Amino acid sequence: MKYFTKEVKIALTAILAIVLLFIGMNFLKGLSLFSSDKSYYIVFDDVSGLSPSSPIFANGFRVGVVKSIEYDYANPDHIVAVVGLDKKLPVPRGTTAEIVSDFLGNVKLELHFSNNGGSTLAEGDTLIGHLQQGALSKAAEMIPQIEQMLPRIDSILVCVNTLVADPALAGTLHNTEELTATLTSTSHDLQRLVTSVGQRLPGMMQRADATLASTETLTQNLSQIDVEALVKRIDGTLANVEQMSAALASREGSLGLLLHDPQLYQNLTATMRDVDSLLIDFKQHPRRYINVSVFGKKDK
């Protein structure tokens, strides 16, 4: 018991605390002292944002962690990251790694597997990595194009200012307002017209139904007419008219003689003149024809 003095206990406690601290720090970094991950090397030309303990994902699933990053001073374009991947994960040849960052600034390493017919990398092999082109990088690439567009935009703004300053534009806007008011009034009138038509539509439909009913009744009445008998009657009437026309055209009947004998017409005319003269003389001298005796005398 003399070996476990107070100083020895303090030293053992300090060593145990240091070991636990080291293990805890590695655990927080995602590293494990007792893991059996396979180590690979990934070569980048830019590792902006990537750091040891950054997670590695494949198809959204965490498969490893970045163990360390080594800068090659002799070859600045080659920055090597040592990564540990799950030993159960087969890494096909041609697989690449991409540094990806989200909107919150979290950085991760994303593996993109290739279809290489089952050939896989061995532990300690090297992969090619690259940095994902973010929104800022894309915006930086667009700056030259924007600079070329600035003169055109300036010209467009000048034209717009000239157009806005033109008094005709104010008149056009005023006319547009009047046109809008007219269209609004027309829309209200059209709405009232539609409402009126909608109110009158039932009566119109009833009248139309009554008209259709009358038409149907008329059609039924027409269908009940004996067309054949009517045609026979019309034929008979036409025959009588033809007979009358023939009689008038003939010289045998009285009407025919009257129409075709000029002498008979002249005689009738002379007779009518005599009768007319007689009537006139009778009206003027009635005593010549009528002798009235008050005392019953006989005519002389």
Side-chain angles (χ1 to χ4, degrees):
M1 299 297 295
K2 62 181 178 178
Y3 296 104
F4 292 97
T5 59
K6 184 177 181 180
E7 291 79 4
V8 172
K9 292 180 180 180
I10 293 174
L12 291 175
T13 302
I15 293 171
L16 181 61
I18 294 172
V19 171
L20 292 177
L21 179 63
F22 179 75
I23 294 174
M25 291 179 63
N26 283 276
F27 177 78
L28 294 175
K29 292 180 180 181
L31 302 176
S32 177
L33 296 177
F34 308 102
S35 64
S36 57
D37 295 341
K38 293 182 179 180
S39 296
Y40 296 88
Y41 299 96
I42 304 177
V43 178
F44 296 93
D45 56 2
D46 188 351
V47 291
S48 298
L50 189 66
S51 62
S53 73
S54 295
I56 301 174
F57 291 86
N59 298 327
F61 184 78
R62 181 167 178 168
V63 294
V65 68
V66 177
K67 293 183 177 179
S68 62
I69 298 176
E70 300 175 359
Y71 185 77
D72 188 357
Y73 292 94
N75 190 1
D77 292 335
H78 287 75
I79 303 173
V80 180
V82 182
V83 299
L85 300 179
D86 190 348
K87 63 179 181 179
K88 297 179 181 179
L89 177 68
V91 182
R93 291 189 179 275
T95 299
T96 59
E98 182 181 28
I99 300 174
V100 180
S101 59
D102 55 19
F103 291 103
L104 299 178
N106 299 320
V107 179
K108 64 180 179 180
L109 200 60
E110 186 74 29
L111 297 179
H112 299 285
F113 297 124
S114 65
N115 298 324
N116 197 5
S119 178
T120 59
L121 296 174
E123 184 177 2
D125 286 346
T126 302
L127 290 76
I128 302 300
H130 60 275
L131 180 65
Q132 184 188 45
Q133 190 176 18
L136 294 177
S137 299
K138 294 180 180 179
E141 292 180 356
M142 293 176 63
I143 289 177
Q145 300 178 1
I146 295 174
E147 290 178 349
Q148 294 178 359
M149 293 175 62
L150 285 178
R152 299 180 182 179
I153 295 175
D154 189 20
S155 301
I156 293 172
L157 291 177
V158 171
C159 294
V160 171
N161 291 331
T162 304
L163 180 62
V164 171
D166 191 352
L169 180 61
T172 302
L173 293 177
H174 181 68
N175 294 334
T176 303
E177 292 179 357
E178 293 182 351
L179 178 60
T180 302
T182 303
L183 290 176
T184 302
S185 177
T186 303
S187 177
H188 291 164
D189 294 340
L190 182 59
Q191 185 176 2
R192 288 195 295 269
L193 177 61
V194 171
T195 303
S196 177
V197 171
Q199 293 175 353
R200 297 180 181 179
L201 187 59
M204 296 172 62
M205 292 300 295
Q206 292 178 358
R207 294 178 183 175
D209 293 339
T211 304
L212 291 175
S214 301
T215 304
E216 185 177 359
T217 303
L218 178 60
T219 304
Q220 292 177 357
N221 294 335
L222 291 175
S223 63
Q224 294 176 358
I225 295 176
D226 190 353
V227 179
E228 185 176 358
L230 181 61
V231 170
K232 288 181 179 180
R233 293 180 183 177
I234 294 173
D235 291 340
T237 303
L238 292 176
N240 294 332
V241 172
E242 289 178 358
Q243 292 177 1
M244 184 180 295
S245 298
L248 292 174
S250 175
R251 295 176 178 271
E252 296 178 356
S254 300
L255 292 176
L257 291 174
L258 182 62
L259 292 175
H260 295 90
D261 191 351
Q263 187 65 34
L264 179 59
Y265 173 75
Q266 293 175 1
N267 293 334
L268 288 175
T269 303
T271 303
M272 292 301 295
R273 284 199 299 266
D274 294 340
V275 172
D276 187 34
S277 298
L278 179 61
L279 290 175
I280 293 172
D281 185 65
F282 178 78
K283 290 180 179 179
Q284 293 178 354
H285 308 285
R287 292 186 178 184
R288 291 181 182 179
Y289 305 95
I290 301 174
N291 189 6
V292 180
S293 178
V294 178
F295 301 99
K297 294 182 179 181
K298 294 182 181 180
D299 295 336
K300 293 181 180 182

